[in-house]
Amino acid sequence: MKDKQFETVIKQLKYEVLSNVARFYWDGTLLSNITRIPTIVVPGPKATMRCCIYKERAIVEERVRLAIGGDQYNKNIVEVIHAACDQCPFGGMQVTDICRGCLAHHCREVCPKDAITIDPNTRRAHIDKSKCINCGMCARACPYGAISNFRRPCEAACAINAIHAGEDGIAVIEEEKCTRCGACSYACPFGAIMDKSYILRCIDILKDPKNEGHRYLIIAPSIGTQFNYAKLGQVFTGMKKIGFDYLFEAALGADMVAYNEAKDLSEEGTCTSSCCPAFVRYIKTAFPEIADKISNNLSPMAAMCKFIKLKDPQAKTVFVGPCIAKKMEMFNKESAPFVDCVITFEELQALFGAKNIELSELEETSLDEASYFGRVFARSGGLSEAVAEALKEQNSTFEVKPVKCSGLAQCKTALTSLKNNRLDGNFIEGMACVNGCIGGPASLTHRLQDTVVQNAYSKKRANINIKESLDAVKAPYDIAEIGSTPKVTAK
């Protein structure tokens, strides 16, 4: 595919594995070619990323395994590729060469465990690892910034401490803690953590002739920040060229959810959002005492899929977005009857590559269904903005006081406050990814300007309010009224 831009070499490697798996599966030759993919991706004769081509190919083999569904006995969506883990030797708080051996020794004075001593010869600080609890107070106290917390990138990215080094140095993910947000997978500079792919399930839907005329792609609002090497209308055309009959904005489902979140909030007085599956899982696993505060709504993706299946009982629904955690919703009892498959923007890009589709050469297809408020769900603060608008359109006098959480670290703070009845607000907008969905681990880009780009995309529908977008497709205001669960086979 021409003019492809990859954020990192790791993303390019992932693309090459996924696109080759998809190409052979589409042709019906994956079984006979699966052992060839490592040599296709790593032709040699010299290694370009690791110590030798044999290790590079071993890593590709593991990536191929994840591309076809991964370890079926591992319930997590995210897996560690052992061969790729560099066993990063970082060890917490360390005094660097910047230390000047000053007279004040603020670092020593603030240490709650007396873990810092001063070398009598050099006057430089020394940290006793047997006492240090990595609280970071010494680093904050040092006027030179000479003390740093050296942590593994994956550990540093996980705000809930669900990943750590095992006895052999290889990263280990704690299943019960992990929210499946995927922050560790994006943070790892060696590409040693990857999400399981359901790209084969998507291709099955596209290949099956019984599904012709009933294949729906539901597109995450953050599409506005993706595929910057082509026009958005060309991307929509490409989606149809790979076999989807209909395209829908998940932002339309977001309009439905915003209307319902507002209704729940005004009735309950205090609640949390239900749109981010990683955030919802975090509440249920780490804060079960306040799980009843979760808004009783489907996610925008599931709401949209439910609406589609009511209209077309034969529909096959595929969601595409930047989120790894969304893949959980294929198996959750609340959403499984409506969501047939979830893929990421990375996997969609691989499907384009597998079909040799050059997006920049296609004509444009328009897609305008949702309101501005549905589209801004993609960035932090957007959901709160939409709920405030929905309350206004419902002529409600209830005043929303949102606590906007960008990333799980902020979510933890807000949820702790809610648990202790100290929350300065009545609605927690929880986004597991920093900056919201546009910061998702499976986004094609993570640019500083993505919030601005998303706002510009959203403002193209600034003249449409939530009610108007729902009325245009004859969607009910209450998601519960969309209809009973269709008789479909749950996965």
Side-chain angles (χ1 to χ4, degrees):
M1 189 176 289
K2 294 188 298 186
D3 300 324
K4 181 74 75 306
Q5 294 182 9
F6 294 99
E7 199 174 36
T8 64
V9 172
I10 294 168
K11 283 191 174 287
Q12 182 171 358
L13 175 62
K14 188 174 183 180
Y15 165 81
E16 290 174 358
V17 171
L18 288 168
S19 60
N20 275 286
V21 167
R23 180 179 295 108
F24 289 129
Y25 192 69
W26 233 315
D27 294 342
T29 62
L30 179 59
L31 189 60
S32 59
N33 284 296
I34 197 166
T35 57
R36 290 183 55 228
I37 294 176
T39 57
I40 293 172
V41 176
V42 184
K46 293 183 178 181
T48 59
M49 295 175 284
R50 298 284 181 160
C51 59
C52 64
I53 61 170
Y54 305 107
K55 183 165 186 176
E56 290 183 352
R57 288 172 180 171
I59 292 169
V60 171
E61 285 180 7
E62 289 298 296
R63 285 184 166 274
V64 169
R65 180 180 62 80
L66 285 161
I68 61 175
D71 182 357
Q72 302 305 306
Y73 296 99
N74 184 342
K75 294 185 293 184
N76 206 324
I77 300 295
V78 184
E79 291 189 25
V80 175
I81 302 172
H82 286 207
C85 183
D86 191 56
Q87 304 175 47
C88 305
F90 302 130
M93 306 307 300
Q94 293 184 20
V95 180
T96 70
D97 291 339
I98 300 174
C99 178
R100 303 296 297 160
C102 66
L103 298 180
H105 303 314
H106 293 300
C107 57
R108 181 182 62 184
E109 303 307 320
V110 300
C111 180
K113 296 297 181 179
D114 294 323
I116 296 181
T117 56
I118 306 301
D119 188 299
N121 297 317
T122 64
R123 302 197 310 275
R124 293 180 60 181
H126 172 75
I127 299 176
D128 184 343
K129 292 296 181 181
S130 66
K131 295 181 179 180
C132 179
I133 59 173
N134 294 312
C135 66
M137 292 181 67
C138 57
R140 291 190 289 273
C142 178
Y144 294 103
I147 303 176
S148 296
N149 188 0
F150 288 88
R151 302 177 67 195
R152 290 181 172 216
C154 59
E155 290 182 353
C158 182
I160 57 172
N161 300 316
I163 189 168
H164 61 271
E167 291 183 1
D168 58 359
I170 303 296
V172 175
I173 299 172
E174 294 185 46
E175 162 64 24
E176 297 305 316
K177 278 187 179 181
C178 180
T179 65
R180 283 77 161 141
C181 72
C184 57
S185 66
Y186 179 70
C188 178
F190 282 91
I193 306 171
M194 179 176 162
D195 55 307
K196 292 175 179 175
S197 175
Y198 297 96
I199 197 170
L200 301 190
R201 180 181 292 195
C202 178
I203 294 172
D204 282 337
I205 291 172
L206 295 173
K207 284 177 63 175
D208 192 340
K210 293 185 296 185
N211 297 332
E212 188 172 355
H214 304 284
R215 296 166 296 208
Y216 294 77
L217 183 64
I218 296 88
I219 307 158
S222 53
I223 187 67
T225 65
Q226 304 296 300
F227 298 96
N228 55 37
Y229 54 87
K231 296 177 181 178
L232 196 54
Q234 292 174 317
V235 178
F236 294 146
T237 301
M239 293 169 176
K240 289 203 166 189
K241 284 185 74 69
I242 60 176
F244 287 103
D245 302 301
Y246 301 102
L247 310 178
F248 279 94
E249 290 189 69
L252 182 58
D255 282 331
M256 299 179 197
V257 169
Y259 212 83
N260 282 259
E261 299 268 81
K263 185 171 179 286
D264 281 359
L265 179 60
S266 62
E267 292 175 353
E268 299 294 331
T270 301
C271 69
T272 78
S273 61
S274 61
C275 302
C276 172
F279 173 64
V280 171
R281 177 176 166 82
Y282 182 48
I283 297 175
K284 291 179 178 179
T285 56
F287 295 89
E289 312 94 324
I290 55 174
D292 61 326
K293 296 295 184 181
I294 302 171
S295 178
N296 188 30
N297 278 300
L298 294 171
S299 69
M301 171 189 75
M304 196 67 223
C305 290
K306 183 177 181 180
F307 177 65
I308 288 170
K309 290 211 169 188
L310 175 68
K311 298 291 186 180
D312 181 2
Q314 292 181 266
K316 292 294 180 181
T317 57
V318 178
F319 172 82
V320 61
C323 182
I324 289 173
K326 281 289 183 189
K327 294 179 180 181
M328 288 191 294
E329 294 192 60
M330 287 190 289
F331 309 105
N332 291 348
K333 63 180 181 179
E334 299 86 359
S335 49
F338 317 115
V339 183
D340 292 305
C341 186
V342 172
I343 61 173
T344 64
F345 288 133
E346 291 176 323
E347 290 159 344
L348 177 61
Q349 187 179 49
L351 290 174
F352 290 147
K355 283 293 190 179
N356 297 315
I357 295 174
E358 297 291 350
L359 296 179
S360 60
E361 296 178 359
L362 302 178
E363 69 281 4
E364 293 191 58
T365 296
S366 63
L367 184 64
D368 290 303
E369 298 162 326
S371 74
Y372 160 85
F373 301 98
R375 287 183 175 180
V376 292
F377 262 56
R379 48 92 169 151
S380 181
L383 171 55
S384 297
E385 195 175 332
V387 168
E389 169 64 20
L391 286 167
K392 177 183 174 182
E393 293 184 29
Q394 292 168 10
N395 297 316
S396 173
T397 58
F398 186 90
E399 181 184 0
V400 59
K401 297 178 181 178
V403 178
K404 305 167 189 176
C405 302
S406 174
L408 283 177
Q410 291 185 9
C411 292
K412 181 178 181 179
T413 300
L415 292 171
T416 301
S417 296
L418 177 59
K419 175 183 173 181
N420 296 325
N421 296 314
R422 296 176 180 173
L423 184 70
D424 186 19
N426 55 24
F427 178 68
I428 298 178
E429 178 198 298
M431 294 284 199
C433 294
V434 176
N435 296 327
C437 300
I438 58 175
S443 291
L444 300 181
T445 62
H446 293 81
R447 302 169 299 173
L448 293 174
Q449 68 266 36
D450 279 347
T451 298
V452 175
V453 173
Q454 184 63 37
N455 284 339
Y457 171 60
S458 303
K459 286 178 181 177
K460 291 181 179 179
R461 298 289 287 174
N463 61 327
I464 304 295
N465 66 28
I466 295 174
K467 277 187 176 181
E468 288 169 339
S469 76
L470 298 180
D471 288 343
V473 294
K474 298 180 180 178
Y477 298 139
D478 189 337
I479 294 177
E481 294 177 2
I482 292 177
S484 58
T485 304
K487 292 183 180 180
V488 296
T489 302
K491 294 164 285 298

